[in-house]
Amino acid sequence: MAKVFVASAMALSALVFHAAAPPTYSWPTSVDVEPGGALLIVENGRHRLLRVTGNHTTVLAAGLAKPYEARRDGSAIVLSNAHLLQRLRPGTAPVTLARASEDIGPIAVAGRTIYYTTGTSLFRLGTKTPIATGLGSPHGLAVAQDGAVLVSDTGHGRLLRVASGGTSTLARLAEPRGLDVAPDGTLYVVEAASKRVMHLSSSGKRLGAVGRAFGDPYDVAVAAHGVLYVVDTAESGRVVRVG
């Protein structure tokens, strides 16, 4: 049986447990790949943030209010947690970057710029005025290679492109959720209604589906070498590696 240690939400911990079997997670909602290949996984059902390296799992933060998504930001981690956008660093208390009247959902980090969404709007950190409004419960956010912000506008069944010239529909999908941009500039988007991960060109053209159908796919992350990691959420959910 795996040994589990609980860490305080007020600081990143260095507690590790070893998984004897492929791990499952309680309602996981996001995955991100760190530069060294470790995975950051938000386990919403247990209110904690994990780092997974091979068979080793580190509890980075526990006792969180309502964690949704975590993204690496240099030596820190940016986390959406209920109404807060927080920055976490090893050994220190979380720093609040932004507050919202609604829960904060997907986030994206591009260089020194951080983007985040609420249930209806897209924001750039540091500005009070949203850069896009009228969204329908967005479930995915990424930054394209040309700097445009891509939003899975889940409630409206579309993938949006937000750039200096305005907002446009890049593609139509049935319940788009998590998305990521591959090193070659193509896009991977979870299409919840079909239970698949769709591969799109940078212009939004469908290139096909990746892997098999999942149970309840929620998020996707692309590693530098092109391998995908897909969150298949459930009360005992998994993160699936797709070569």
Side-chain angles (χ1 to χ4, degrees), residues 63-185:
L64 300 168
K66 196 176 179 182
Y68 185 83
E69 189 158 279
R71 292 290 179 259
R72 168 60 67 178
D73 177 24
S75 62
I77 297 168
V78 178
L79 172 73
S80 54
N81 183 26
H83 294 233
L84 301 177
L85 184 69
Q86 298 176 303
R87 177 176 281 126
L88 309 179
R89 294 186 186 277
T92 64
V95 174
T96 297
L97 302 175
R99 298 176 184 269
S101 58
E102 307 173 75
D103 283 342
I104 294 177
I107 56 181
V109 178
R112 296 183 177 181
T113 305
I114 298 173
Y115 299 93
Y116 64 96
T117 60
T118 63
T120 57
S121 301
L122 167 67
F123 293 87
R124 181 188 297 112
L125 183 64
T127 61
K128 294 183 178 180
T129 302
I131 59 176
T133 58
L135 305 179
S137 299
H139 276 57
L141 193 64
V143 179
Q145 290 185 339
D146 64 358
V149 184
L150 308 176
V151 186
S152 285
D153 190 8
T154 308
H156 297 135
R158 59 186 181 173
L159 180 64
L160 295 180
R161 174 184 166 87
V162 183
S164 57
T167 300
S168 59
T169 297
L170 188 66
R172 289 282 179 181
L173 297 104
E175 263 189 89
R177 288 181 175 174
L179 73 147
D180 202 3
V181 179
D184 64 1

Side-chain angles (χ1 to χ4, degrees), residues 16-17 26 31 33-34 109 125 138-139 144 185 202 217 228 238 243:
V16 177
F17 63 86
S26 177
V31 61
V33 185
E34 296 190 288
V109 178
L125 183 64
H139 276 57
S202 59
L228 276 76
R238 303 173 299 155

Side-chain angles (χ1 to χ4, degrees), residues 183 188 222-228 242-243:
Y188 291 92
V222 187
H225 44 68
V227 169
L228 276 76
V242 181

Side-chain angles (χ1 to χ4, degrees), residues 23-34:
T24 59
Y25 308 98
S26 177
W27 299 111
T29 52
S30 88
V31 61
D32 193 25
V33 185
E34 296 190 288

